[in-house]
Amino acid sequence: MPSVKPIEYAEASPAVRAVYDDIMATRKIDWINNFWKVLAHDPATLKRTWESLKQIMAPGALDPLTKELLYLAVSVNNGCQYCTASHTAAARKAGMSDAMLGELMAVVGMANETNRFSDGYRIEIDAAFEPNFR
Amino acid sequence: MPSVKPIEYAEASPAVRAVYDDIMATRKIDWINNFWKVLAHDPATLKRTWESLKQIMAPGALDPLTKELLYLAVSVNNGCQYCTASHTAAARKAGMSDAMLGELMAVVGMANETNRFSDGYRIEIDAAFEPNFR
Amino acid sequence: MPSVKPIEYAEASPAVRAVYDDIMATRKIDWINNFWKVLAHDPATLKRTWESLKQIMAPGALDPLTKELLYLAVSVNNGCQYCTASHTAAARKAGMSDAMLGELMAVVGMANETNRFSDGYRIEIDAAFEPNFR
Amino acid sequence: MPSVKPIEYAEASPAVRAVYDDIMATRKIDWINNFWKVLAHDPATLKRTWESLKQIMAPGALDPLTKELLYLAVSVNNGCQYCTASHTAAARKAGMSDAMLGELMAVVGMANETNRFSDGYRIEIDAAFEPNFR
Amino acid sequence: MPSVKPIEYAEASPAVRAVYDDIMATRKIDWINNFWKVLAHDPATLKRTWESLKQIMAPGALDPLTKELLYLAVSVNNGCQYCTASHTAAARKAGMSDAMLGELMAVVGMANETNRFSDGYRIEIDAAFEPNFR
Amino acid sequence: MPSVKPIEYAEASPAVRAVYDDIMATRKIDWINNFWKVLAHDPATLKRTWESLKQIMAPGALDPLTKELLYLAVSVNNGCQYCTASHTAAARKAGMSDAMLGELMAVVGMANETNRFSDGYRIEIDAAFEPNFR
């Protein structure tokens, strides 16, 4: 059970509804997921988070699918269940196939394994990996 | 200082040299980075890790640059300094521009922020995010 | 389902009951939450943990509400569901309002975002941030 | 060495300088720390991050010192060295005494210990900890 | 609900069945747990993960029980619910008593507490802890 | 540089000296490592932490070497540099060979890989892994 009551559209303030409307329009959907309905409890955070997310996930030097894959990888890494479920759905919608999910998981698993080797053996950074702008 | 002495090519056993040779041939480089020189201390882990990494990072449903970006995102998320340095270099070699790095960091940061919101408010997973194969 | 059976008051040893009694007396409540009933399985850990907790959460240079907020922030950060639920309840009891919870979550989320930026870009510590006691 | 070159005021674009100026004016200081000089590399992230931070850390239901303590606690929890150094300095500036730091660390340490107990024993959430808004 | 459908033995490909057969023969059991049935979706990862696990968990310089305790400690530390449940069962099968579990949890909790102290106070590594092979 | 000045024996209060003396007597050494010299800044935490550590790391159902291996595994997992360095030294002193370290690292790496698979695919806990005390 969430710590605060999700706020439905019908009971939302005009400021919250404006964000809900923009989420639905931007995503071309007709419902709001629990994440936003809980954040609505703090309208400033709701607005700031949605606007940041919208800007960050828009196409740029990286395409939207790549961004969704990165988002999912971090969510898996953090063991966040809601985020893993919602961003698996989002990544599939953006074009992630089962094979891509399998490869994403393999990279995430492998990185976690080698990260522990690097930290555990206290491996020194090779000079060749340092940028040379100094 | 690493916990065990890195093993240089000149002092390596034939089994270790065979892995070193394959790393240099696969990556078309003429040196071995510290990660492998420390793992060489345990030849079975060296061989298994290199062969897994070679298989996982090869082109597949995801292209090599996307895989490097995912690897870097996880390394950043784990706060692993060696891995962040080495995979920033690897990602740049695979084609990551400064703008791509900036967007990767923005996604990683944002995902960490919203992951905490989801866990902190104990948000329930929406039914729409569940797969329907049951 | 927990890994070991929670130990109810009626079936507890005198040593465990003594800790349970002190928890109820200190907190002015008439029940014991699952955390302690599971730890009771290892009486030395039960006693040590309760005594440490009692000492640490008592008023000091920081007031009890601030301590509860810190405890909750760490629990959220670790994605610990039991701890997030129990310390949200404890923080509310100590005086946390909905607005305080919203601000706590905003700080926790923001800190996670900027922590990843710092680690990801491998930012150097400014000399001005170092203490000058040397 | 950071992954991208910090951008000094003299070489910054007008958009970056505007953020730098606002940071210095808001904080009543005459220098910019490395965090912002590295983020300046991606002006949209620099602006968004600074504006979010300024809003989040302003006085609200929680006072600025409490917010700094929470920020530091999360940074310690993530093992982020830059953030721990910079937010220790920020918290001291906001009024954190040595005794407060000692108690903050005691709470952070204790929360990490009990979080592992809760996750490790898979302790069930007590009904009494659930909110009753349903 | 898992993100991909677990693959039962009856519907598995010969390559997947070969791994399932080896798991059951090695472990002297007649069923396959969900972990492998989900990984079966990506046969290369299934095979690589099982073969790595079989090699790593075999008796060596460390006995199988010690290895299971280490595996459980890491799973607890990551807050991974599936892994904590399955490796608690595996460790019990390998000989872990309730008292051993209690001591494992005490060490894991203590290590998390002191890890935060070390990172939080930015404690410098004593020269005596460095190996002297240089 | 640490956040607070380490307290040397010569300048320590009698209460702090008593803990230092007990550490040196228990460990049969004639020096104090930085961890305790920094904690000495908060004598209650110094005393509580040392006494907890002494109790937890004493021989019990698990032998001291196994406890040191668990402590090191958690420290590696948290990416804590001080703890990894100091507990690698402590584990070697307790009898950890290079081969044991190699196997510990392999288990820690593998557990991190499979933990991410379990969380990432949202794998359901098999009924057979649940204890049957209900």
Side-chain angles (χ1 to χ4, degrees):
Chain A
M1 201 178 300
S3 296
V4 296
K5 198 169 172 299
I7 296 177
E8 300 300 330
Y9 191 94
E11 55 186 334
S13 68
V16 166
R17 280 191 188 183
V19 176
Y20 284 6
D21 287 337
D22 192 37
I23 291 171
M24 292 189 286
T26 303
R27 295 186 164 173
K28 299 182 178 51
I29 53 175
D30 61 357
W31 64 291
I32 294 293
N33 57 301
N34 283 333
F35 181 81
W36 306 110
K37 289 196 273 194
V38 166
L39 251 60
H41 170 75
D42 180 358
T45 297
L46 172 70
K47 187 171 192 299
R48 183 179 57 76
T49 306
W50 165 246
E51 289 180 355
S52 293
L53 193 74
K54 191 167 65 163
Q55 179 206 313
I56 289 169
M57 300 306 280
L62 299 175
D63 60 281
L65 173 57
T66 301
K67 289 183 174 180
E68 282 295 346
L69 297 175
L70 290 167
Y71 214 113
L72 177 56
V74 170
S75 300
V76 166
N77 208 57
N78 284 335
C80 178
Q81 300 188 344
Y82 183 86
C83 318
T84 298
S86 61
H87 286 278
T88 298
R92 284 193 190 280
K93 203 169 160 182
M96 179 180 73
S97 64
D98 275 10
M100 285 175 184
L101 174 60
E103 295 186 11
L104 176 150
M105 290 299 299
V107 174
V108 170
M110 187 80 208
N112 271 285
E113 186 179 30
T114 58
N115 277 207
R116 289 351 179 195
F117 290 165
S118 298
D119 277 344
Y121 282 123
R122 307 175 58 224
I123 301 174
E124 284 180 297
I125 298 174
D126 307 76
F129 290 149
E130 295 292 0
N132 59 3
F133 52 70
R134 253 186 199 165
Chain B
M1 202 179 299
S3 296
V4 295
K5 198 171 173 298
I7 296 177
E8 300 299 332
Y9 191 95
E11 55 185 335
S13 68
V16 166
R17 279 191 189 184
V19 177
Y20 284 6
D21 287 337
D22 193 37
I23 292 171
M24 292 189 287
T26 303
R27 296 188 162 170
K28 298 183 178 56
I29 53 175
D30 62 357
W31 64 290
I32 294 293
N33 58 301
N34 283 332
F35 181 80
W36 306 109
K37 289 196 274 196
V38 165
L39 252 59
H41 171 75
D42 181 356
T45 297
L46 173 70
K47 188 172 191 301
R48 182 179 56 76
T49 306
W50 165 245
E51 289 180 355
S52 294
L53 193 74
K54 191 166 65 164
Q55 180 208 312
I56 289 168
M57 300 307 281
L62 299 176
D63 60 283
L65 172 58
T66 301
K67 289 183 173 181
E68 281 296 346
L69 296 176
L70 290 167
Y71 214 112
L72 176 56
V74 170
S75 300
V76 166
N77 209 55
N78 285 335
C80 179
Q81 300 188 343
Y82 183 85
C83 318
T84 298
S86 61
H87 286 279
T88 299
R92 283 192 190 280
K93 204 169 159 181
M96 180 180 72
S97 63
D98 274 10
M100 286 174 181
L101 174 60
E103 294 186 11
L104 176 149
M105 291 299 299
V107 174
V108 170
M110 188 79 207
N112 272 286
E113 186 178 31
T114 59
N115 277 208
R116 285 0 174 191
F117 290 165
S118 299
D119 277 345
Y121 283 122
R122 307 175 57 227
I123 302 175
E124 284 179 298
I125 298 175
D126 307 76
F129 290 149
E130 296 290 1
N132 59 2
F133 52 72
R134 256 189 196 163
Chain C
M1 201 179 300
S3 296
V4 296
K5 200 171 172 299
I7 297 176
E8 301 299 330
Y9 191 94
E11 56 185 335
S13 68
V16 166
R17 280 192 189 183
V19 176
Y20 285 5
D21 286 337
D22 193 36
I23 291 171
M24 292 188 287
T26 303
R27 295 187 164 171
K28 301 183 176 52
I29 53 174
D30 62 357
W31 64 291
I32 295 292
N33 58 300
N34 283 333
F35 181 81
W36 306 109
K37 289 196 274 195
V38 166
L39 250 59
H41 169 75
D42 181 358
T45 297
L46 173 69
K47 188 171 192 300
R48 181 178 58 75
T49 306
W50 165 246
E51 289 180 355
S52 294
L53 193 73
K54 190 166 65 163
Q55 179 207 313
I56 289 169
M57 300 307 281
L62 299 176
D63 60 283
L65 173 57
T66 301
K67 288 183 174 182
E68 282 295 347
L69 296 176
L70 289 167
Y71 214 113
L72 177 56
V74 170
S75 300
V76 166
N77 209 54
N78 284 335
C80 179
Q81 301 188 343
Y82 182 86
C83 319
T84 298
S86 61
H87 286 279
T88 298
R92 285 193 189 279
K93 203 170 161 181
M96 180 180 72
S97 64
D98 276 10
M100 285 174 182
L101 174 60
E103 293 186 10
L104 176 149
M105 291 299 300
V107 174
V108 171
M110 188 79 207
N112 272 285
E113 186 179 29
T114 59
N115 276 208
R116 286 358 174 192
F117 290 164
S118 298
D119 278 345
Y121 283 122
R122 309 175 56 226
I123 302 175
E124 285 180 297
I125 298 174
D126 307 75
F129 291 148
E130 296 291 1
N132 58 4
F133 52 71
R134 253 187 198 165
Chain D
M1 200 179 300
S3 296
V4 296
K5 197 170 174 297
I7 296 177
E8 300 299 331
Y9 191 94
E11 54 184 336
S13 69
V16 166
R17 280 192 188 182
V19 176
Y20 285 5
D21 286 337
D22 193 37
I23 292 171
M24 293 189 286
T26 303
R27 297 187 162 170
K28 298 182 179 54
I29 52 174
D30 62 356
W31 64 291
I32 294 293
N33 58 300
N34 283 332
F35 181 79
W36 305 109
K37 288 196 274 195
V38 165
L39 252 59
H41 169 74
D42 181 358
T45 298
L46 172 70
K47 187 171 192 304
R48 182 178 58 76
T49 306
W50 165 246
E51 289 179 355
S52 293
L53 194 73
K54 191 166 65 163
Q55 179 207 314
I56 289 168
M57 300 306 281
L62 300 175
D63 60 281
L65 173 58
T66 302
K67 289 184 173 180
E68 281 295 346
L69 296 175
L70 290 167
Y71 214 112
L72 177 57
V74 170
S75 300
V76 166
N77 208 57
N78 285 334
C80 178
Q81 301 188 343
Y82 182 86
C83 318
T84 299
S86 60
H87 287 278
T88 298
R92 284 193 189 280
K93 203 168 159 182
M96 179 179 74
S97 65
D98 275 10
M100 286 176 182
L101 175 60
E103 295 186 10
L104 176 149
M105 290 299 300
V107 174
V108 171
M110 188 78 206
N112 272 286
E113 186 179 30
T114 59
N115 277 207
R116 287 355 176 193
F117 291 165
S118 299
D119 278 344
Y121 283 122
R122 308 175 56 225
I123 302 174
E124 284 180 297
I125 298 174
D126 306 76
F129 290 149
E130 295 291 0
N132 59 3
F133 52 71
R134 257 191 196 164
Chain E
M1 200 178 301
S3 295
V4 295
K5 197 170 174 296
I7 296 176
E8 300 299 330
Y9 191 94
E11 54 184 336
S13 68
V16 166
R17 280 192 187 181
V19 177
Y20 284 6
D21 287 336
D22 192 37
I23 291 170
M24 292 189 286
T26 303
R27 295 187 164 170
K28 297 183 179 53
I29 53 175
D30 62 357
W31 63 291
I32 294 293
N33 58 300
N34 283 333
F35 181 80
W36 306 109
K37 288 196 274 195
V38 165
L39 252 58
H41 170 75
D42 180 359
T45 298
L46 173 70
K47 187 171 192 300
R48 182 177 57 76
T49 306
W50 166 246
E51 289 180 355
S52 294
L53 194 74
K54 190 165 66 163
Q55 179 207 314
I56 289 168
M57 301 307 281
L62 299 175
D63 61 281
L65 173 57
T66 302
K67 289 183 174 181
E68 282 295 347
L69 296 175
L70 290 167
Y71 215 113
L72 177 56
V74 170
S75 300
V76 166
N77 209 56
N78 286 335
C80 178
Q81 301 188 343
Y82 183 86
C83 318
T84 298
S86 62
H87 286 279
T88 298
R92 285 194 189 279
K93 202 168 161 182
M96 179 180 74
S97 64
D98 274 10
M100 285 176 184
L101 174 60
E103 293 186 11
L104 176 148
M105 290 299 299
V107 175
V108 170
M110 188 78 207
N112 272 286
E113 186 178 29
T114 59
N115 277 208
R116 288 352 177 195
F117 290 166
S118 299
D119 277 344
Y121 282 122
R122 307 176 58 226
I123 302 175
E124 284 179 298
I125 298 174
D126 307 75
F129 290 149
E130 295 291 1
N132 59 3
F133 52 72
R134 253 187 199 166
Chain F
M1 201 180 299
S3 296
V4 295
K5 198 170 174 297
I7 296 176
E8 300 300 330
Y9 191 94
E11 54 184 336
S13 68
V16 166
R17 279 192 188 182
V19 177
Y20 284 5
D21 286 336
D22 192 37
I23 292 170
M24 291 188 288
T26 304
R27 295 188 164 170
K28 298 182 179 56
I29 52 175
D30 62 357
W31 64 292
I32 295 293
N33 56 301
N34 284 332
F35 181 80
W36 306 110
K37 289 196 275 196
V38 166
L39 252 59
H41 169 75
D42 179 359
T45 297
L46 173 71
K47 187 171 193 298
R48 182 178 58 76
T49 305
W50 166 245
E51 289 180 355
S52 293
L53 194 74
K54 190 166 65 164
Q55 180 207 313
I56 288 169
M57 301 307 281
L62 300 176
D63 60 280
L65 173 57
T66 301
K67 289 184 174 181
E68 282 295 347
L69 296 176
L70 289 167
Y71 214 114
L72 177 56
V74 170
S75 300
V76 166
N77 209 56
N78 285 334
C80 179
Q81 300 189 343
Y82 182 87
C83 318
T84 298
S86 61
H87 287 278
T88 298
R92 284 192 189 280
K93 202 168 162 184
M96 179 179 73
S97 64
D98 275 9
M100 286 175 183
L101 175 59
E103 294 186 11
L104 176 149
M105 290 298 300
V107 174
V108 171
M110 188 78 208
N112 272 286
E113 186 178 28
T114 59
N115 277 209
R116 286 356 177 192
F117 291 165
S118 298
D119 278 343
Y121 283 123
R122 309 175 55 226
I123 302 175
E124 285 180 297
I125 298 174
D126 306 76
F129 290 148
E130 295 291 0
N132 58 3
F133 52 71
R134 255 188 197 167

